[in-house]
Amino acid sequence: MEVQSPQAKPWLVRLEAFRIGVRLGPEHVTVRDEILAVLRERVDENGEFRVRDLVVRLNPDEDLRRQWAVEKALMRLCADEELAGALVRVGLGRYRVVKS
């Protein structure tokens, strides 16, 4: 008597080719975007703001790395050619928003 041995792998089902699109997720928000979003509420009547006030607003957990990120982004905003000198350093820890 002859017995067929079971197959090691079952037959594969063929699928039509398809593409996987880009996965839509939350937008990437940078520290620069956060600074520009809260800058108006931190500016005083002279058009100036303190870095300390900005860091307290954007870093409520007092994370040192986050503080450095805010300070670094602020320095880059001052040197940004797109803003064309919209932020100017006035003194130690103080910046002025130049209205154009």
Side-chain angles (χ1 to χ4, degrees):
M1 182 168 157
E2 247 180 74
V3 178
Q4 288 184 339
S5 62
Q7 293 180 355
K9 294 182 182 177
W11 291 101
L12 298 176
V13 177
R14 292 194 182 263
L15 296 175
E16 294 295 321
F18 62 94
R19 289 184 171 253
I20 299 175
V22 177
R23 197 183 305 175
L24 297 176
E27 293 182 23
H28 185 70
V29 179
T30 62
V31 176
R32 174 189 171 135
D33 296 332
E34 293 178 24
I35 289 173
L36 294 175
V38 300
L39 195 58
R40 288 188 181 191
E41 66 187 49
R42 294 292 154 194
V43 175
D44 63 8
E45 62 276 351
N46 297 327
E48 297 180 359
F49 65 94
R50 294 187 306 182
V51 177
R52 184 174 33 153
D53 294 337
L54 194 62
V55 169
V56 167
R57 172 67 168 84
L58 295 175
N59 186 20
D61 298 332
E62 298 179 3
D63 180 18
L64 189 57
R65 292 182 68 185
R66 174 80 171 160
Q67 177 181 342
W68 289 342
V70 171
E71 292 172 357
K72 187 175 180 180
L74 189 59
M75 286 189 286
R76 286 184 176 175
L77 275 171
C78 287
D80 193 358
E81 293 176 7
E82 263 183 41
L83 296 176
L87 292 178
V88 178
R89 185 173 178 187
V90 178
L92 187 61
R94 292 194 65 79
Y95 289 84
R96 176 178 293 139
V97 178
V98 179
K99 297 176 183 168
S100 40

